[in-house]
Each structure stands twice: as C-alpha cells, then as structure tokens.
C-alpha cells in the first residue's frame, strides 16, 4: 500500500513498524480459526454483494437462504449449540463468527442471526431436552427454518406489555394462541414472509383465568409451504435495506398447540392446568427469561463495529490513492490523507473502532464465562446484560456515524452503489434499533448503575428504580457503583493531589482513565440527587424520571465509554514490546483524548479542564493524527478484510 506522505514527522518521533499479521492475530485473539473460516466462506460467496443489486427481491431472498444453509454445513453458524446436536459447544466462538460475518453482505448476517441466534437461541435457552431433541439437529443443520416472534406492531421495546395471548385449555391439554387486535400483530419478523416453518411466539400466558406473564411457545406457522391453520402471514415488503431477509407479519386466530409447545425451562403448566415455576416473582421470572437471550445484543454490537471497519478500510485506502490540489512547488497533487482535516475525519474513527473492538472482546468473554458455567451469580448476569446493552448502543451508533463520514470522505465515487457504501448505509441503519432501541438500552445501563445491580434488580420497573434510589443516601449510591472510588485512586496514581487533572501528562493513560471515571461519577451523583430531590418534594416518581432522562442517558454513555477505554488500555498493556504495542498506544491515546475533546464543554463546566489544557489536548490530537497517518494503511489491513469484500473498484482498485 502507498503510504507516501508529505507531512513531516514530529521532531524526535520514531515511527513504529507494524507487523500486520501479528496485529491481526492480536485482534482475532483465540478465535482466529473460526474467523478465518468465516472469511473464507464470505470470499466463496462474495458474488452476493453484486447479486444484491441485480436480483429481484424474491430471487435475492432465495440466494441469501441458500448461502446461509451452505455456511451452516461448514459449521460456522452452529458454534454456540451443544456438540450432541451438531454444534460446536463454544458460545464465544459463535459470537466471533457472527461478528466476522458482518464483513460481507448484511442480509446474510441478519438471516444467520434470526435463524441461529434468535430462533435457535430461544429453543436452546428457553426450552428443555424435549425441545432440543425435537428441533436442534435440523435447526443447526439449516434444514428447519424458524422465526423469533416477539415484536408487535403496538409493543416494541415494552415486551412485558405484549398483546398476544396464550390460554391453556386443560380439557384438550393445549394452548390457544390468539392475536388480540391489530396492535398485537407480530411484525418485522425475520424468516416469516417466506422461509419460516416454526416460530417461537412470545405471548401472555393465561392459566385458569390467571395471567402469568409473558412466556414463549413453539408454534408451526407453515405446513407444506402454506400458512398453518389459523395463521395469517403478510410480507412486510421492501425495506430501506436488508431486502434479502424475508420480514413478515404474523397473526394467530385461536391457533392450538400442544401443552409441550411451552418452552418450559423457567415455568411449566401441568396437564391438569397448574402453573409451576421455581421463580416466584413474575418480574424476576420475566427478566431471567429475557436475560438468557442477551447474546443477540452482544452479536449486533460486534456486527456494527465490523461494518464500520469495512467503511473505514475503503475510505482510508482511497485516501492513500486519491490526490487533490497541488501542495508544493513541484506541482504534484497531495494525497487526501496528507491533509490535516482528512486525518481528523478518519483517524479518530479508526482509533475508536479499535477501542470498540477490544470492548467487544471483553463483553464476549464475559458472555462466554456466564453461559459456559452453571447458573452462576445472578449479579454477574445483570452486569453482563448491562454491559451488553451499552456496548451494543455505542457500537451500532458508531457504525452509523462511520459509514456516513466515510461515504462523504470518498466524494461522488462513494455515492455510487458499486462502491458498497449504499449497501452498508442501508443495511446497517437498523442496527441501532435491532435488539432494543439504543436509548432504551442505555436506560437499562443507568438502572444497573443506580441500583448496583441489586438483588431486586428485576423487580424494579421505572418507578421502582426511582423509589429505590431515593430511599438511599446519595453518598451510598455513589459508593456502591463501579466508579472505583475514583478520587482515592487518582490521588494514589497521579501527581498533584486535587490538582491531578492539571499536572498529569496528556499522554498518561491513568489521566485518561481518571477523567472518564470522574465524569461518570459526577453524572451518576447528579442523577441520584435529581431523583431524590424530586421525590422529596412529593412529586410523582414517573414525572421525576421523565425530567431527568437526558441525564440518565448521559451517565450511561459515560459509563460505557469508561469501560471501552479500560478495555483498550488493558489490551494495549498486554501486547509484547515492539512496533505493534507502540501503534496501539497511539490509537489508545487518540481515542481517549478525542473522547475528552468531544466533551470538553462538560469538563470545563465542571472544573476539570482549563482553557489552556483544552487547547493542548486539541494540539495533541492533531499530533497523534500525524503520527498515525503513515500507519493508517497497515492499521486497516490488520482487520483482515478480504479484498473481495471491499467491493469498491473505483475507490480501492480491483474488479
């Protein structure tokens, strides 16, 4: 790759040499084998990137299905299922495989996610041996296609309010599934419009006239290719993107399924009609059930980060080829990436992508540990749910921002469909609402912070959370959070005592961590005080919460950004001495300082950043961009994206 540049290196700076294969190995981690299998499969079926624009919707859907089934035969899609059912028995590997799949056509990715992550995951985690034996072998092999029928037209993120009802008929020993009005119609359901034969249907269970909350049932939706009796199926039609996935609408008109159709890991109904569950509290039972499906959020977050990598790889490679305007007396035009503004546009995004990659590694490892053991510590599961929600939100918002910025950075050529940005933008846009709207997910993060993942976490709805917080002293809330008793740590680690933020070196990672920890702690204390003050004035808890929602989102984002930086710092420190460690250190510094710079108004308002130091941070960010500039080609190559998947001939060359 051409890394020629005209900008001079900063005085005294020695440019590191990057070992690209070794850096790829660091990024791939223990899952290099499964990632390489996915890359090879993506290259085999790289023609889908062209076919997506050439085929009719019906033909595109069939092509995507064929590719998904073919990939299933290689074992890549079944890594998370038990070996006795044809899987790989490795939860972490299944997430790594899914993340890597995002380098290719995203309809294939989403079809895999629906089939093996949502439908298969529900059967595996909510069902018991009878469901596993009946469905998993064919499901894992791709012979049985299914749906995850949770979302309803009138009930999006509020799953507890679903309108579909499942009533138990003790005389017939059957459940009767009914769509109670248009708002209870299952909508946007992947695999429903064309290929699904079974659906895991989430419905309000009624036994003997008593409502027992939301449960999941295995319901046939097609028999012999036709809608099953009582099942109505509509096609959602064309979407903004992902038109290789057959999203549809489902209605159930007194559809009867046997008693054994209830996915009964957490609750069951006896033949005589007695409801039984080892979890007495219905809210706790509901959140325990949903908590087993957390891998969907982990998967989507990782997919967003990898989609961002594709966009950045194209934009950086283009910026290393494309020249514009003469910059010297020799009349030769200058490479785009030699312009300081272009560096500013792309390189902090490269740094943030590396940061989110390592944060994704951390949440994937946490998921693997939680799901590979026994039931484990309930508090650890709640921490996982919170971290997965936050990482998913930041990762998918990052993808949306990166793809737009990279499209603009490639000018008119970036607007041509042949150069992949059209598909990336259209197909990834929904990631911000897949597996939960990002703002709703960040409220879940804040809830965990405010309650310290308390034992009654599942019981606390929005109002319960407010009452819980206001029943504590604000100081207790702060002490119990994961902000690590910030000020004590800072005094131990940095010079200057209470003036630590003025004395610490700008490139000191402990300074970076301290700044983000301070912001998180301060925001958390502010939310707690606002909640407490509102309720102390006898105001309605719901109104109080509504008025502080902007602060709630701010503290959640601050918390997740702190976790992201911690993951990046930890991974960088673990890399052996050499050029790769130096390069990762530069990226880590750039991520940290650009994050502080982006929120410098807050830091200045709260006395943690002077005008002079703010200006110094901006100069340092510019300097880091200049240092990273000659490394940029190697840094994006280390992501291991096969050339066939870039599919941007006008921008990076190739067919």
């Amino acid at each position: 790759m051409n890394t020629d540049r005209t900008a001079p290196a900063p005085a005294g700076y020695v440019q590191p040499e990057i070992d690209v294969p070794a850096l790829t190995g660091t990024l791939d981690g223990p899952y290099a084998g499964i990632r390489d299998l996915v890359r090879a499969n993506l290259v085999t079926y790289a023609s889908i990137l062209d076919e997506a624009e050439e085929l009719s919707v019906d033909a595109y859907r069939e092509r995507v299905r064929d590719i998904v089934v073919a990939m299933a035969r290689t074992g890549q899609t079944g890594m998370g299922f038990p070996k006795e059912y044809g899987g790989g028995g490795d939860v972490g590997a299944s997430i790594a495989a899914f993340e890597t799949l995002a380098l290719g056509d995203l309809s294939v990715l989403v079809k895999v996610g629906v089939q093996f992550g949502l439908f298969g995951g529900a059967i595996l985690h909510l069902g018991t041996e009878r469901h596993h034996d009946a469905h998993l072998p064919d499901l894992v092999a791709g012979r049985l296609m299914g749906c995850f029928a949770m979302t309803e037209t009138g009930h999006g993120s509020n799953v507890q309010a679903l309108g579909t009802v499942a009533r138990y008929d003790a005389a017939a020993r059957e459940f009767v599934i009914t769509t109670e009005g248009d708002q209870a119609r299952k909508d946007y359901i992947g695999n429903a419009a064309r290929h699904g034969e079974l659906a895991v249907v989430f419905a309000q269970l009624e036994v003997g006239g008593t409502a027992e909350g939301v449960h999941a049932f295995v319901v046939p939706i097609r028999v012999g290719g036709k809608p099953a009796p009582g099942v109505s199926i509509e096609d959602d039609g064309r979407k903004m993107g992902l038109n290789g996935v057959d999203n549809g609408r489902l209605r159930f008109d007194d559809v009867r399924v046997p008693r054994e159709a209830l996915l009964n890991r957490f609750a069951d109904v006896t033949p005589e009609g007695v409801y039984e569950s080892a979890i007495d509290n219905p809210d706790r039972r509901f959140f325990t059930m949903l908590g087993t499906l957390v891998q969907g959020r982990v998967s989507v977050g990782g997919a967003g980060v990898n989609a961002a990598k594709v966009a950045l790889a194209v934009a950086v490679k283009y910026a290393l080829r494309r020249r514009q305007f003469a910059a010297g007396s020799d009349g030769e035009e200058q490479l785009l990436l030699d312009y300081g503004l272009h560096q500013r546009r792309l390189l902090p995004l490269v740094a943030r992508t590396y940061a989110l990659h390592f944060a994704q590694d951390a949440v994937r490892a946490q998921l693997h540990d939680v799901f590979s053991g026994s039931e484990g510590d309930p508090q650890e599961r709640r921490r996982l749910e919170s971290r997965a929600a936050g990482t998913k939100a930041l990762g998918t918002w990052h993808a949306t921002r990166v793809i737009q910025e990279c499209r603009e950075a490639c000018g008119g050529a970036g607007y041509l469909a042949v150069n992949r940005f059209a598909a990336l933008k259209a197909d990834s846009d929904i990631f911000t609402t897949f597996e939960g709207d990002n703002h709703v997910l960040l409220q879940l993060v804040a809830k965990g912070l405010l309650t310290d993942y308390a034992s009654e976490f599942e019981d606390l709805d929005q109002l319960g959370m407010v009452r819980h917080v206001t029943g504590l002293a604000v100081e207790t809330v702060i002490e119990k959070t994961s902000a690590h008793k910030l000020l004590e740590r800072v005094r131990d680690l940095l010079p200057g005592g209470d003036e630590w933020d003025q004395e610490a070196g700008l490139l000191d990672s402990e300074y970076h961590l301290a700044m983000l920890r301070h912001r998180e702690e301060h925001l958390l204390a502010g939310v707690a005080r606002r909640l407490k003050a509102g309720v102390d004035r006898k105001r309605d808890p719901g109104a109080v919460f509504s008025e502080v929602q902007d602060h709630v989102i701010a503290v959640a984002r601050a918390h997740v950004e702190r976790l992201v930086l911690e993951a990046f710092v930890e991974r960088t420190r673990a890399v052996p001495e050499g050029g790769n460690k130096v390069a990762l250190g530069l990226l880590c510094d750039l991520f940290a300082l650009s994050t502080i710079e982006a929120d410098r108004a807050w830091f200045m308002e709260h006395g943690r950043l002077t005008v002079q130091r703010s200006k110094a941070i901006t100069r340092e960010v510019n300097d880091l961009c200049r240092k990273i500039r000659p490394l940029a080609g190697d840094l994006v190559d280390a992501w291991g994206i096969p050339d066939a998947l870039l599919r941007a001939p006008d921008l990076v060359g190739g067919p």
Side-chain angles (χ1 to χ4, degrees):
M1 170 166 294
N2 180 5
T3 57
D4 173 59
R5 64 190 181 93
T6 58
Y13 170 69
V14 178
Q15 179 180 315
E17 292 289 332
I18 293 180
D19 182 338
V20 173
L23 185 52
T24 301
T26 297
L27 293 165
D28 284 355
Y31 300 114
I34 185 66
R35 292 187 191 279
D36 283 342
L37 171 61
V38 176
R39 288 181 181 112
N41 285 340
L42 287 172
V43 170
T44 298
Y45 300 105
S47 62
I48 188 68
L49 298 173
D50 295 309
E51 293 161 351
E53 295 166 6
E54 298 165 353
L55 297 174
S56 68
V57 170
D58 287 342
Y60 182 27
R61 288 173 170 180
E62 296 305 313
R63 179 62 174 149
V64 167
R65 180 191 182 280
D66 291 345
I67 290 174
V68 169
V69 172
M71 287 181 170
R73 288 195 290 266
T74 72
Q76 81 164 58
T77 60
M79 292 303 298
F81 294 95
K83 292 182 179 180
E84 58 265 34
Y85 297 111
D90 189 329
V91 176
S94 72
I95 304 298
F98 187 82
E99 294 165 0
T100 310
L101 196 57
L103 301 178
D105 177 77
L106 295 181
S107 283
V108 172
L109 170 98
V110 172
K111 188 85 165 179
V112 166
V114 168
Q115 167 70 12
F116 302 101
L118 295 177
F119 173 59
I123 298 287
L124 176 64
H125 295 300
L126 301 181
T128 52
E129 187 174 356
R130 71 189 186 207
H131 306 105
H132 300 166
D133 291 344
H135 304 304
L136 287 186
D138 286 342
L139 187 159
V140 172
R143 294 186 294 268
L144 170 66
M145 302 296 282
C147 308
F148 183 82
M150 177 183 282
T151 301
E152 294 180 356
T153 303
H155 307 95
S157 296
N158 189 8
V159 178
Q160 278 183 293
L162 292 178
T164 303
V165 178
R167 297 181 176 90
Y168 185 63
D169 180 347
R173 296 188 176 181
E174 294 175 329
F175 292 102
V176 183
I177 314 292
T178 305
T179 300
E180 301 272 334
D182 289 343
Q183 296 302 300
R185 177 186 64 185
K186 300 296 181 182
D187 214 343
Y188 329 120
I189 308 301
N191 270 355
R194 178 65 64 87
H195 298 135
E197 300 171 55
L198 293 181
V200 171
V201 177
F202 289 80
Q204 302 285 354
L205 172 62
E206 289 185 9
V207 182
T210 301
E212 301 292 355
V214 173
H215 291 65
F217 304 82
V218 179
V219 181
I221 61 169
R222 281 187 177 82
V223 177
K226 301 293 184 181
V231 178
S232 300
I233 302 175
E234 277 184 69
D235 195 321
D236 274 320
R238 275 192 172 271
K239 307 180 291 289
M240 285 177 61
L242 298 176
N243 285 302
V245 182
D246 53 318
N247 295 85
R249 302 183 177 103
L250 300 173
R251 297 180 68 104
F252 303 95
D253 184 10
D254 294 340
V255 175
R256 289 181 171 267
V257 294
R259 183 182 68 88
E260 293 78 13
L262 172 65
L263 292 174
N264 63 332
R265 178 180 174 187
F266 299 110
D268 209 346
V269 176
T270 68
E272 297 75 24
V274 177
Y275 181 79
E276 299 177 336
S277 176
I279 306 174
D280 292 334
N281 185 289
D283 289 332
R284 184 169 295 148
R285 186 165 58 241
F286 171 76
F287 282 105
T288 300
M289 177 182 71
L290 288 194
T292 63
L293 306 176
V294 68
Q295 71 182 53
R297 286 174 183 164
V298 177
S299 297
V300 172
V305 174
N306 273 11
K309 289 177 186 175
V310 175
L312 278 166
V314 171
V316 168
K317 288 172 181 286
Y318 179 64
L320 290 168
R321 298 176 72 230
R322 176 76 153 84
R323 293 180 180 273
Q324 186 156 284
F325 301 112
S329 58
D330 59 5
E332 184 180 26
E333 291 189 301
Q334 183 164 308
L335 288 170
L336 291 182
L337 204 55
D338 285 338
Y339 287 101
L341 178 59
H342 215 76
Q343 294 170 13
R344 266 285 193 159
R345 295 177 70 182
L346 297 182
L347 300 185
L349 296 179
V350 171
R352 191 173 184 88
T353 303
Y354 267 81
L356 288 166
H357 176 103
F358 292 129
Q360 177 71 13
D361 283 351
V363 75
R364 187 195 319 106
Q366 191 175 353
L367 175 83
H368 182 83
D369 290 345
V370 166
F371 279 83
S372 297
S374 58
E375 291 299 316
D377 179 1
Q379 202 170 44
E380 283 304 308
R381 283 184 173 263
R382 289 188 283 273
R383 288 194 180 96
L384 168 63
E385 291 161 22
S386 173
R387 186 161 190 163
T391 305
K392 182 266 180 183
L394 263 62
T396 55
W397 271 328
H398 177 68
T400 299
R401 174 190 173 193
V402 163
I403 292 167
Q404 176 63 28
E405 190 65 50
C406 289
R407 203 294 299 159
E408 293 183 28
C410 291
Y415 199 64
L416 299 178
V418 72
N419 291 320
R420 185 110 200 247
F421 283 111
L424 281 172
K425 280 174 63 69
D427 292 344
S428 69
D429 192 74
I430 191 62
F431 286 10
T432 57
T433 40
F434 263 170
E435 293 295 318
D437 175 273
N438 284 349
H439 288 93
V440 175
L441 294 183
L442 288 183
Q443 290 183 66
L444 173 65
V445 174
K447 174 182 172 182
L449 289 172
L450 287 163
T451 62
D452 191 38
Y453 314 97
S455 59
E456 61 271 23
F457 180 82
E458 294 96 341
D459 307 350
L460 299 177
D461 59 11
Q462 180 174 297
L463 303 187
M465 181 189 72
V466 175
R467 295 188 182 103
H468 175 90
V469 172
T470 56
L472 301 172
V474 172
E475 292 74 17
T476 303
V477 175
I478 301 307
E479 285 176 8
K480 291 171 70 67
T481 67
S482 50
H484 302 302
K485 295 186 177 180
L486 173 78
L487 295 181
E488 288 82 354
R489 273 192 66 159
V490 169
R491 292 192 184 102
D492 290 342
L493 293 170
L494 296 174
D498 286 334
E499 298 300 315
W500 57 269
D501 52 337
Q502 305 307 318
E503 301 294 330
L506 286 182
L507 299 181
D508 186 336
S509 60
E510 292 298 340
Y511 166 68
H512 304 153
L513 289 166
M515 288 287 276
L516 295 200
R517 287 170 179 156
H518 172 80
R519 180 180 63 170
E520 176 186 347
E521 183 193 65
H522 190 100
L523 287 167
L524 186 59
V527 170
R529 290 190 182 98
R530 285 176 172 86
L531 291 174
K532 191 170 180 64
V535 175
D536 285 348
R537 292 196 301 269
K538 309 301 183 184
R539 299 189 59 217
D540 177 71
V544 172
F545 181 82
S546 179
E547 288 181 5
V548 303
Q549 273 184 308
D550 56 337
H551 298 280
V552 166
I553 296 300
V555 71
R557 290 191 73 144
H559 170 71
V560 181
E561 283 195 323
R562 189 260 295 173
L563 291 177
V564 171
L565 179 59
E566 286 181 344
F568 201 172
V569 170
E570 181 180 351
R571 182 60 68 88
T572 300
R573 288 173 176 171
V575 173
E577 295 297 329
N580 287 0
K581 186 183 186 79
V582 173
L584 287 175
L586 293 171
L587 288 169
C588 192
D589 289 342
L590 179 56
F591 166 68
L593 289 180
S594 58
T595 298
I596 294 169
E597 182 189 45
D599 206 14
R600 61 183 163 189
W602 186 92
F603 287 106
M604 294 173 77
E605 286 174 356
H606 294 83
R608 288 302 173 187
L609 201 60
T610 64
V611 172
Q612 293 76 17
R613 198 164 178 83
S614 175
K615 291 179 178 179
I617 286 175
T618 294
R619 289 192 297 271
E620 197 65 61
V621 168
N622 289 335
D623 189 50
L624 285 165
C625 286
R626 286 190 291 271
K627 290 176 179 177
I628 292 169
R629 152 63 185 96
L631 311 175
D634 287 342
L635 290 171
V636 299
D637 284 345
W639 290 330
I641 306 170
D643 289 342
L645 302 182
L646 294 178
R647 200 190 73 114
D650 295 342
L651 301 174
V652 302

